[in-house]
Amino acid sequence: MGNRVAVVAGGRTPFVKSGKVFKGLGPLKLAAHAVTGLLERHDIDAAAIDAIAFGAVVPEPGKPNLAREIVLEAGLPRAIEAQTMSSYCITGLRTITAITEGIASGRIEAGIAGGVDSLSHADPATFREPSTGLSMGEHMEITCKQWDVSRERQDEVALASHRNAVAARERLAGQIFPLGGVEHDTGPRTGTSKEALANLKPAFDPEGTVTAGNASPVTDGASAVLLMSEDRAASEGREPLAFVRAMQYGAIDPGEGLLMAPGIVVPRLLERSGLRLAQIDLIEIHEAFAAQVLTNVMAWEQGWQAAPTGAVDWSRVNVSGGSIAVGHPWSATGGRIVTTLACEMARRNAQFGIISICAAGAMAGALILER
């Protein structure tokens, strides 16, 4: 990749259920809070930032170049270049890729990547797949039937997400910039149980298995990640949390499974990186739905349209909780996961970590971090 790219720091707003505390805040306010929180908490001189790449799936009216508005709203140096991106749920990874590639090529030395979505302000049509007219949940029910995914197993994944997020609450607090009197994510539940999840009714198909309990909630929030060249980080005396080793994107026909593109993207990334899944210490799989996590893993293990990866060790998966518990403000999820993974890798001194994120449009992105 040329210059090695370091993940130096990251952070975010609390993730809050839409229509609640953050409903009066638009994307710009949430995004600016994430960026200024990152700069202030980690004592970063804004004059050292060359570029900002930020994304949103649900745009704020009158602010088409959100990234540039963040620079102005946050009072950052006007010379910072800014670009806005939108690519459904992989938007956050796309912005990280844009800054990473700029640093790797030597064009810039330091940048902030991030994403925001205020789903309190989303049009209901946003939750449907344009190419099919079906909602994400309806597509997931189709995939569940095709892959024979049980309700019980979905609820087990959801329960693990909540338990891990609750157990990691103190660690995650260091990654959150309180806002509007909210200091923690509002999603993780201490009282969640297998029995409580089993009592929930299907949300998309009366005869289906996908419920509000084993799907990610509709959420508001923003995240931001600071990336630097290895030399710049060293010159500023900053210890990188991890380095970006490789990234991969891909897509399939929506008819093959709207959220199944990770099934081809992750094996390709591992092959390009010369790594085996067994070598990966920590695995972060975005939890749009518990069923999607399960079918993605089945695709990797079985070799669906790609070489099999070998078995997934579930004790390494989403150890700090996932989107089902924490929440999923679409564009903010990539930055949230990269920050959480990098921090956990540093805490454990783990060598490799991998991220897999599915997206509407039958797309996916994946990223490997290393120490």
Side-chain angles (χ1 to χ4, degrees):
M1 290 181 59
N3 298 322
R4 274 223 300 181
V5 180
V7 177
V8 175
R12 57 186 176 87
T13 70
F15 283 3
V16 172
K17 187 175 181 180
S18 296
K20 302 295 184 180
V21 183
F22 291 170
K23 66 180 179 180
L25 301 175
L28 178 57
K29 293 294 185 183
L30 291 170
H33 184 76
V35 170
T36 55
L38 178 67
L39 295 171
E40 291 169 2
R41 181 167 296 180
H42 296 281
D43 193 24
I44 300 160
D45 181 3
I49 303 300
D50 300 311
I52 286 182
F54 231 82
V57 176
V58 181
E60 185 164 349
K63 299 179 177 68
N65 190 354
L66 174 69
R68 183 58 179 170
E69 297 302 329
I70 292 170
V71 171
L72 303 176
E73 175 77 13
L76 305 181
R78 275 28 180 181
I80 295 176
E81 64 169 89
Q83 64 174 312
T84 299
M85 310 179 77
S86 182
S87 192
Y88 290 114
C89 301
I90 54 175
T91 298
L93 278 189
R94 288 287 192 187
T95 64
I96 289 168
T97 297
I99 295 297
T100 295
E101 290 178 341
I103 295 171
S105 69
R107 186 177 63 81
I108 60 176
E109 292 185 334
I112 292 175
V116 59
D117 267 303
S118 176
L119 298 185
S120 291
H121 302 94
D123 186 302
T126 310
F127 297 89
R128 307 190 78 80
E129 170 62 23
S131 65
T132 65
L134 299 178
S135 69
M136 302 294 113
E138 289 170 331
H139 271 285
M140 202 65 250
E141 287 287 11
I142 293 171
T143 302
C144 281
K145 293 179 175 64
Q146 291 173 336
W147 289 80
D148 192 24
V149 179
S150 72
R151 165 73 181 270
E152 182 180 14
R153 189 70 185 96
Q154 292 176 60
D155 288 348
E156 288 174 353
V157 169
L159 181 60
S161 184
H162 281 279
R163 286 179 172 172
N164 289 347
V166 170
R169 188 177 187 185
E170 186 175 333
R171 299 198 306 273
L172 294 177
Q175 302 164 26
I176 294 174
F177 314 129
L179 177 63
V182 182
E183 297 184 354
H184 303 283
D185 302 320
T186 61
R189 299 176 184 173
T190 56
T192 300
S193 67
K194 189 173 181 180
E195 293 72 25
L197 289 168
N199 286 329
L200 296 174
K201 295 181 179 180
F204 304 98
D205 177 351
E207 303 301 321
T209 57
V210 178
T211 71
N214 56 41
S216 59
V218 181
T219 318
D220 298 340
S223 65
V225 178
L226 174 65
L227 300 154
M228 288 184 173
S229 68
E230 184 174 17
D231 290 344
R232 167 62 76 83
S235 70
E236 292 193 9
R238 299 185 183 276
E239 181 68 28
L241 296 169
F243 292 91
V244 179
R245 179 177 176 117
M247 300 157 290
Q248 185 77 37
Y249 295 91
I252 59 175
D253 188 298
E256 297 176 277
L258 190 69
L259 302 181
M260 288 302 298
I264 65 168
V265 171
V266 167
R268 288 176 183 172
L269 177 60
L270 290 168
E271 183 178 8
R272 272 201 335 92
S273 303
L275 294 171
R276 293 174 290 105
L277 191 60
Q279 294 175 267
I280 305 297
D281 301 288
L282 293 168
I283 303 170
E284 288 285 337
I285 309 172
H286 162 51
E287 299 168 347
F289 301 90
Q292 156 261 314
V293 174
L294 291 164
T295 53
N296 290 173
V297 169
M298 291 166 69
W300 299 341
E301 293 179 336
Q302 296 176 17
W304 179 77
Q305 300 190 29
T309 61
V312 168
D313 180 350
W314 286 94
S315 69
R316 304 181 186 186
V317 175
N318 297 351
V319 297
S320 300
S323 298
I324 288 174
V326 175
H328 177 36
W330 297 333
S331 298
T333 289
R336 190 270 297 177
I337 294 178
V338 167
T339 298
T340 297
L341 175 60
C343 288
E344 189 64 19
M345 288 176 66
R347 190 177 77 89
R348 300 183 180 213
N349 195 27
Q351 185 176 10
F352 297 115
I354 193 169
I355 293 167
S356 170
I357 301 181
C358 62
M363 303 184 298
L367 180 147
I368 290 176
L369 295 179
E370 68 177 348
R371 283 177 55 80

